[in-house]
Amino acid sequence: MADRMKGRPFLDRPGFALAGIRSSWLREASFRSQARTALAAAVLLAVARPGPVWTALVAMSAPTVLALEAANAALEELADTTHPQHAPGIDRAKDMAAAAVLIASVGAAVVGCAAAYSVFS
């Protein structure tokens, strides 16, 4: 069972992705926090209606953060499973993956603030 996706029909594969989302939700507090923030952003978009460009920017920012959060969780899971003892290279890789989430989160926050400013100014 080296690769459970090889040779599987395309329509079978979303189940693997949904299992990954479920694992991220169950195992990662950061993923849950980011998902709640994305939900709040969606509600605010529905209420404030900032316009199509701002809506599109916010609508792309939130899933990007969630995708990076899931990728960060996957890297950490892989690293911790394959190399459970302390290793500086593993620590750096995990820090870099966390940095990607932080950068995207800050960018999403800037987009959200700009969208709010466009509505309330």
Side-chain angles (χ1 to χ4, degrees):
M1 190 158 95
D3 190 348
R4 64 186 181 141
M5 287 180 53
K6 291 284 184 191
R8 299 289 296 268
F10 178 76
L11 293 177
D12 288 351
R13 296 178 186 181
F16 300 126
L18 292 173
I21 292 169
R22 183 174 187 271
S23 292
S24 295
W25 178 267
L26 292 173
R27 298 176 63 111
E28 295 293 327
S30 295
F31 186 87
R32 291 189 299 273
S33 295
Q34 296 288 8
R36 288 181 187 113
T37 302
L39 180 61
V43 169
L44 289 173
L45 283 176
V47 171
R49 298 179 183 237
V53 172
W54 288 116
T55 299
L57 287 170
V58 173
M60 288 305 300
S61 295
T64 299
V65 172
L66 288 172
L68 286 169
E69 193 69 64
N72 179 45
L75 184 135
E76 288 183 356
E77 181 78 17
L78 181 65
D80 292 344
T81 300
T82 59
H83 205 294
Q85 57 275 31
H86 178 76
I90 296 291
D91 289 345
R92 283 191 299 274
K94 290 166 73 172
D95 289 347
M96 288 184 260
V101 175
L102 178 62
I103 291 165
S105 296
V106 169
V110 169
V111 167
C113 289
Y117 179 78
S118 76
V119 170
F120 299 111
S121 63

